[in-house]
């Protein structure tokens, strides 16, 4: 996984800087996410993995499927990736691009897992508290998992805060067994 991150980084940086310079971050975000979904499709994955096809043919297949969502620069980016045998990086490039965009816009997506459904007021309070703590605008996605018994689990890009009762019980059991 770290290798994909490293190899994708220069492509992501180039795309991000170009999009930022042109004022088209949202458009590039859409182009990259579409291309990543297409590249991950099982039929397209077979096409892209076919050693009998040239880089140009693979790029042509991607561009023809994504045509309605790509501008000229997006097509050139796909062709560049294909020429360097890097179309398999599209999902990682997309993820890194979104992270750079979120950092620029001072926003963060947070996945919240609770044992019970939170009402609107509770979600707003939690969003405000996390926004103040992280110094960013927070977009909260909430899911319910009764297995955590109580408390919350907060997940974002590189941060996990496990305040669940299940985690506390596991720590207690570990302490008792040592």
């Amino acid at each position: 996984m770290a290798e994909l991150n490293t190899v994708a980084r220069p492509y992501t940086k180039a795309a991000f800087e170009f999009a930022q310079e042109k004022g088209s971050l949202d458009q590039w975000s859409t182009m990259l996410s579409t291309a990543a979904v297409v590249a991950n499709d099982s039929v397209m994955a077979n096409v892209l993995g076919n050693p009998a096809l040239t880089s140009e043919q693979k790029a042509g297949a991607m561009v023809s499927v994504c045509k309605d969502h790509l501008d000229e620069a997006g097509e050139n980016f796909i062709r560049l990736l294909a020429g360097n045998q890097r179309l398999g990086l599209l999902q990682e490039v997309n993820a890194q691009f979104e992270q750079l965009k979120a950092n620029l816009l001072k926003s963060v997506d947070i996945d919240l897992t609770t044992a019970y459904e939170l009402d609107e007021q509770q979600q707003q309070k939690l969003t405000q508290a996390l926004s103040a703590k992280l110094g960013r605008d927070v977009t909260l996605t909430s899911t319910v998992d009764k297995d955590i018994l109580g408390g919350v689990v907060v997940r974002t890009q590189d941060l996990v805060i496990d305040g669940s009762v299940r985690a506390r019980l596991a720590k207690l059991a570990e302490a008792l067994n040592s």
Side-chain angles (χ1 to χ4, degrees):
M1 185 65 90
E3 184 178 316
L4 284 179
N5 290 337
T6 303
V7 176
R9 194 171 295 121
Y11 295 102
T12 304
K13 184 178 179 202
F16 187 79
E17 288 174 357
F18 179 84
Q20 192 175 11
E21 178 182 308
K22 299 293 183 187
S24 58
L25 285 173
D26 290 336
Q27 183 181 0
W28 270 84
S29 185
T30 301
M31 288 191 295
L32 289 173
S33 66
T34 300
V37 168
V38 169
N40 277 350
D41 179 76
S42 60
V43 174
M44 185 58 77
N46 287 337
V47 170
L48 299 179
N50 186 342
L53 297 177
T54 66
S55 298
E56 295 83 22
Q57 291 170 319
K58 292 175 185 180
M62 280 292 296
V63 168
S64 69
V65 173
C66 300
K67 189 173 192 80
D68 294 339
H69 301 282
L70 297 176
D71 64 8
E72 185 179 345
E75 286 184 23
N76 289 339
F77 187 72
I78 296 295
R79 293 184 194 288
L80 172 73
L81 289 174
N84 292 329
Q85 308 294 317
R86 299 290 189 228
L87 283 172
L89 294 176
L90 274 166
Q91 189 161 352
E92 183 62 31
V93 168
N94 180 52
Q96 288 181 13
F97 187 93
E98 292 303 320
Q99 188 170 357
L100 289 171
K101 183 179 168 190
N103 288 342
L104 178 71
L105 300 175
K106 300 277 189 218
S107 65
V108 65
D109 293 329
I110 295 199
D111 296 318
L112 179 72
T113 305
T114 59
Y116 301 97
E117 191 74 36
L118 297 179
D119 63 34
E120 188 63 34
Q121 184 180 8
Q122 290 170 318
Q123 285 189 19
Q124 284 180 338
K125 278 185 170 180
L126 194 52
T127 300
Q128 289 171 350
L130 288 169
S131 182
K133 173 120 174 111
L134 299 173
R136 296 172 176 255
D137 291 330
V138 170
T139 303
L140 194 66
T141 304
S142 183
T143 57
V144 175
D145 180 2
K146 298 211 182 277
D147 290 339
I148 68 170
L149 304 176
V152 296
V153 179
V154 177
R155 287 184 181 87
T156 186
Q157 297 151 348
D158 58 352
L159 174 68
V160 176
I161 302 170
D162 192 345
S164 67
V165 171
R166 180 178 63 190
R168 290 182 199 152
L169 288 173
K171 285 181 186 175
L172 180 62
E174 186 178 312
L176 290 173
N177 289 331
S178 25

